[in-house]
Amino acid sequence: MAAEIVNPRSDSSTDQDGGAEPLHSFDPAFALHRGGKMAVQATVPIRDKDDLSLAYTPGVARVCTAIAEQPELVHDYTWKSSVVAVVTDGTAVLGLGDIGPEASLPVMEGKAILFKQFGGVDAVPIALACTGVDEIIETVVRLAPSFGGINLEDISAPRCFEIERRLQERLDIPVFHDDQHGTAIVTLAALRNAARLTGRELGDLRAVISGAGAAGVAIAKFLLEAGLGDVAVADRKGVVSCDRDDLTPVKRELAEITNKAGISGSLEAALEGADVFIGVSGGTVPEPAVASMAEGAFVFAMANPNPEVHPDVAHKYAAVVATGRSDFPNQINNVLAFPGIFAGALQVRASRITEGMKIAAAEALAGVVGDDLAADYVIPSPFDERVAPAVTAAVAAAARAEGVARR
């Protein structure tokens, strides 16, 4: 699969049925997306009958027979070990919400070309016309023989947690929900460097996360795994704490491992004296709440397009400011993580992506910044050519160290 950015229809004067161009066609986004953003490209030539007899019948039969006799040969003689399925049900697409499988395809195509552009990994977008947990799991299990890894994308919480867990239990290839773990990995990398810049350790920090969806839950768990001092997570009703009787099972589990300080009440109350704010929810945090944070605080306001705290406000009070936007410094962007993570996992034919592999990815990503560390540079750019090789190598090494590599 070649994720080439190509436009198979150079004539943009008519639509697919030969009719008039839609009124919104002047938008450059529509111009770029016309015909899709991907194409399939052969890796071997078919120039004559000899090539055809090797690439297809009768030569292909010898390869099929060998794989039938030794199933592990599928990794050497097909694309399986170099391709990822990007799977969604379209229920939590970017900031658009539940827009369905067809409307999700432009995002899934975009994800696939990012895999190729930044990690050299081929990827196929798969949008499913089902939303039931069991239906999704059974469908992906049946598709899995064609792929070396499964990237779950834009599946709403709390279903996404169970889907990922059960798929990994049933499959012997990596299953990775990027909305959870990609965000957590890049956040940890930026936080490590922010702490280093200000002479602190992760264990010195108390964080507050706004948002208890897929990203918020994953970030909280991952930061604690990496050694963060404490973290409180807030949803629309306030801090997720054990004294609440309205928690889902996922939030109940979260309450049991977070908030050692025993904070209850609103997000604003939790921010008083906090060292770190991490926003993955949208909305607006009042300026007085930001002002109440500890001296030298970090504000990672990652909602798009409108950060929970505008950088102009955050810079009044924070030592380090990060957003999810590319037009401000310190962009927390998942593309820094997932291409290299899958490249490393596929390289060693890993059976899963472990916590150790994720932490290794975060450490490698943080390490790219090196001695250039500054308040406006705690995380590298997605276009830094050092990123993917560093993450790939770290993930592959960690997979071998943790015993999940098969070569």
Side-chain angles (χ1 to χ4, degrees):
M1 174 67 64
E4 299 177 299
I5 303 177
V6 296
N7 188 339
R9 299 192 72 238
S10 58
D11 177 11
S12 60
S13 61
T14 59
D15 63 21
Q16 296 284 9
D17 299 319
E21 189 75 10
L23 293 176
H24 53 226
S25 63
F26 68 89
D27 186 324
F30 282 88
L32 183 142
H33 282 79
R34 174 168 280 279
K37 301 191 291 284
M38 301 176 61
V40 173
Q41 178 179 331
T43 61
V44 296
I46 307 294
R47 298 163 298 198
D48 52 36
K49 65 181 181 64
D50 292 331
D51 288 342
L52 181 60
S53 70
L54 289 174
Y56 200 53
T57 187
V60 73
R62 300 198 296 275
V63 180
C64 293
T65 301
I67 294 171
E69 294 172 352
Q70 300 181 60
E72 67 277 8
L73 292 179
V74 69
H75 297 286
D76 296 312
Y77 294 105
T78 73
W79 76 341
K80 180 178 174 72
S81 280
S82 61
V83 67
V84 170
V86 180
V87 179
T88 190
D89 64 355
T91 55
V93 179
L94 291 174
L96 303 175
D98 185 355
I99 59 174
E102 288 87 354
S104 76
L105 269 175
V107 177
M108 300 310 117
E109 288 184 4
K111 195 79 173 191
I113 66 174
L114 294 179
F115 265 110
K116 188 67 173 181
Q117 175 73 26
F118 293 102
V121 173
D122 291 318
V124 178
I126 297 176
L128 303 179
C130 59
T131 58
V133 169
D134 291 338
E135 289 179 292
I136 291 173
I137 291 169
E138 293 302 325
T139 302
V140 175
V141 167
R142 284 161 174 73
L143 290 169
S146 294
F147 301 99
I150 305 294
N151 183 90
L152 300 174
E153 192 76 20
D154 293 350
I155 298 173
S156 64
R159 298 173 310 122
C160 59
F161 303 112
E162 181 180 359
I163 290 169
E164 182 190 43
R165 175 181 58 78
R166 288 173 56 188
L167 279 174
Q168 190 60 85
E169 289 171 353
R170 293 186 59 178
L171 299 176
D172 66 347
I173 57 175
V175 178
F176 185 85
H177 185 207
D178 187 50
D179 301 317
Q180 293 183 58
H181 310 301
T183 307
I185 288 164
V186 182
T187 300
L188 175 58
L191 190 57
R192 280 193 183 280
N193 275 340
R196 180 164 68 94
L197 179 69
T198 56
R200 287 177 281 181
E201 302 291 335
L202 287 181
D204 301 330
L205 304 175
R206 178 172 72 85
V208 177
I209 298 175
S210 175
V217 171
I219 291 169
K221 290 182 176 180
F222 193 54
L223 293 183
L224 290 173
E225 179 79 17
L228 187 73
D230 193 15
V231 58
V233 182
D235 62 11
R236 291 183 180 87
K237 297 182 180 179
V239 174
V240 174
S241 58
C242 292
D243 60 357
R244 283 176 50 179
D245 59 6
D246 61 345
L247 300 180
T248 64
V250 169
K251 292 181 182 179
R252 174 65 58 184
E253 178 188 357
L254 187 66
E256 291 172 355
I257 63 172
T258 59
N259 194 21
K260 291 188 295 187
I263 299 168
S264 60
S266 67
L267 169 71
E268 290 83 356
L271 280 174
E272 185 172 354
D275 302 291
V276 185
F277 169 76
I278 297 170
V280 284
S281 65
T284 301
V285 177
E287 183 170 344
V290 182
S292 75
M293 295 177 69
E295 184 178 353
F298 312 143
V299 172
F300 292 3
M302 299 187 284
N304 266 312
N306 299 311
E308 295 89 347
V309 183
H310 192 279
D312 291 344
V313 174
H315 278 296
K316 295 180 184 180
Y317 311 102
V320 176
V321 177
T323 72
R325 288 173 45 159
S326 59
D327 53 345
F328 293 112
N330 295 327
Q331 184 190 20
I332 307 295
N333 191 327
N334 288 17
V335 77
L336 289 163
F338 69 81
I341 288 168
F342 270 99
L346 293 175
Q347 185 180 96
V348 298
R349 295 179 186 168
S351 58
R352 62 184 60 243
I353 294 171
T354 65
E355 290 300 302
M357 292 162 72
K358 291 186 285 184
I359 288 175
E363 291 175 345
L365 183 55
V368 171
V369 171
D371 294 337
D372 295 324
L373 181 64
D376 62 354
Y377 184 54
V378 297
I379 198 74
S381 162
F383 296 98
D384 188 324
E385 295 182 354
R386 300 171 296 171
V387 168
V391 174
T392 299
V395 168
R400 293 189 176 102
E402 299 211 332
V404 297
R406 289 177 285 198
R407 73 168 183 180

